[in-house]
Amino acid sequence: KKLIRRILKEMDVDPKKVQPNSVSYFISQCKQELLLAKDSRKLSKDFLPVFHKAYARYESELRNSHVVDFDDLILLPYIILSQNQDVQADLHSRWSHLMVDEFQDTNPAQFELVKLLMPPSKVSSDQQASIFVVGDDAQSIYSFRGSKIEIILNFDHTYPGAKEIILNQNYRSTTPILKLAEKVISHNPKQKKKDLFTENSEDIRVQYYLANDERDEAKYIIKKIQDQYSTNSSNSSTPTETVTLEPEDFFDNESMFKKQDDEYTVATDDDPVSNMFDVFLGKQQSLQTDFMKYR
């Protein structure tokens, strides 16, 4: 972003009219569609000429500085493999199996690279070659950064004869959560239908709360935590001490404990919630340190 700001300044472009973040987004979109600066006008979206010129200078600056950006980690290997059959053949001789995790988040550039690393023709003709992808189309949430749900939905079109294995037992959620999720997901016309089930049939009622803003959301969550700890502590003989939490504490780096109006009880030992997160909630300083560490 610093480089883009400098390039725009050298081009005498008003940063109020063309923001560096917008140029960065444009360049990333180009690279995710495997477009170098010379081909950037092929991008399916319309952008001002200044974006294309900035991309060309940005690309030149990176090359001259012998550095790459994040999107180059996909784009450049793709270019190398697609233009050099000897390099591709060498990699194919090194391994016969390829696995891709979180496949539902794959964007076109990544999938093109996958197909170069393990071509469909190689899988179909070589019994020793295989590709194994793991993903859940219902968890595809990265379309804003280029992922395409069609890639996982149409995987067997690219690799004919692919065997689909559905892991439909859920170990994480309870039955009410699965039922609610299915009601929402059922409205999606583009999906691989799965009948999920769980043996964790604990009857926990799913609640919905529409918060006005982030502080309202924090206040609601903290109230729920307070209520839960009050319930747990009243049913336990574990020694307790009081700790104060307010929504404002989560938006202030200086201190987590400023107000002392509303107190709630926190177990100091043998508490399943604190053990789960490996955080000792018994002392204010310990909680503050751990909170700032993971913030």
Side-chain angles (χ1 to χ4, degrees):
K1 290 182 179 179
K2 182 179 179 181
L3 174 57
I4 291 174
R5 284 194 295 268
R6 176 165 65 80
I7 289 173
L8 293 178
K9 184 177 181 180
E10 292 173 353
M11 294 174 61
D12 198 25
V13 175
D14 186 350
K16 294 182 180 180
K17 294 182 179 180
V18 179
Q19 297 182 354
N21 283 345
S22 298
V23 177
S24 176
Y25 171 81
F26 165 75
I27 294 174
S28 181
Q29 289 290 299
C30 287
K31 293 189 177 186
Q32 288 181 23
E33 295 197 21
L34 303 172
L35 298 175
L36 295 171
K38 63 182 178 64
D39 303 313
S40 64
R41 294 185 183 278
K42 294 180 181 179
L43 192 66
S44 57
K45 304 172 185 177
D46 292 329
F47 286 89
L48 296 172
V50 65
F51 285 83
H52 303 279
K53 294 178 181 178
Y55 182 14
R57 296 186 62 164
Y58 175 80
E59 185 178 79
S60 178
E61 289 278 0
L62 290 187
R63 186 182 300 108
N64 293 336
S65 300
H66 302 288
V67 296
V68 298
D69 63 17
F70 187 76
D71 290 306
D72 284 336
L73 301 182
I74 298 295
L75 174 61
L76 297 184
Y78 167 80
I79 292 175
I80 292 172
L81 288 174
S82 62
Q83 296 180 358
N84 297 273
Q85 292 297 319
D86 56 332
V87 177
Q88 190 176 150
D90 180 65
L91 291 182
H92 292 166
S93 68
R94 297 187 187 188
W95 62 72
S96 300
H97 309 287
L98 178 67
M99 174 181 170
V100 184
D101 198 8
E102 302 292 356
F103 192 67
Q104 75 277 355
D105 298 326
T106 306
N107 64 37
Q110 292 170 331
F111 194 42
E112 289 302 316
L113 180 58
V114 166
K115 288 189 289 185
L116 286 174
L117 293 172
M118 189 58 66
S121 58
K122 178 177 175 63
V123 175
S124 61
S125 62
D126 186 351
Q127 292 185 349
Q128 299 301 317
S130 69
I131 179 171
F132 184 85
V133 301
V134 182
D136 180 6
D137 59 291
Q139 297 185 49
S140 180
I141 59 174
Y142 286 108
S143 60
F144 67 91
R145 72 177 190 195
S147 70
K148 301 292 185 183
I149 187 64
E150 291 79 11
I151 293 177
I152 187 172
L153 295 179
N154 300 325
F155 178 77
D156 55 350
H157 296 175
T158 306
Y159 291 90
K163 182 179 180 181
E164 183 178 84
I165 303 172
I166 298 179
L167 306 178
N168 58 345
Q169 181 171 0
N170 186 297
Y171 297 90
R172 178 183 300 171
S173 302
T174 59
T175 299
I177 293 176
L178 283 187
K179 288 183 177 179
L180 179 60
E182 174 57 27
K183 286 182 179 180
V184 177
I185 296 173
S186 64
H187 295 284
N188 179 15
K190 296 182 179 180
Q191 63 166 304
K192 285 185 174 293
K193 183 62 179 176
K194 297 174 286 292
D195 295 319
L196 300 182
F197 74 94
T198 178
E199 295 181 353
N200 184 7
S201 58
E202 185 177 1
D203 188 19
I204 298 178
R205 186 167 61 91
V206 180
Q207 299 182 18
Y208 170 77
Y209 180 76
L210 179 60
N212 294 323
D213 52 37
E214 68 272 16
R215 281 177 168 77
D216 184 27
E217 179 184 20
K219 187 175 182 180
Y220 175 80
I221 293 172
I222 290 173
K223 178 63 167 60
K224 287 298 179 181
I225 294 175
Q226 292 172 340
D227 293 343
Q228 187 65 51
Y229 270 112
S230 296
T231 301
N232 289 347
S233 61
S234 64
N235 297 327
S236 173
S237 59
T238 304
T240 62
E241 65 177 86
T242 57
V243 177
T244 299
L245 277 180
E246 287 291 332
E248 289 77 8
D249 299 329
F250 292 90
F251 300 93
D252 188 334
N253 288 336
E254 295 180 0
S255 174
M256 282 187 62
F257 303 93
K258 296 193 300 182
K259 297 184 178 181
Q260 302 294 328
D261 297 330
D262 299 322
E263 295 185 341
Y264 72 100
T265 303
V266 178
T268 60
D269 193 18
D270 296 328
D271 173 40
V273 176
S274 60
N275 290 338
M276 183 187 302
F277 293 99
D278 196 26
V279 175
F280 178 65
L281 300 179
K283 296 181 180 179
Q284 295 184 6
Q285 184 60 42
S286 175
L287 177 56
Q288 181 175 357
T289 301
D290 282 320
F291 176 81
M292 298 310 299
K293 183 190 304 180
Y294 296 109
R295 187 183 177 106

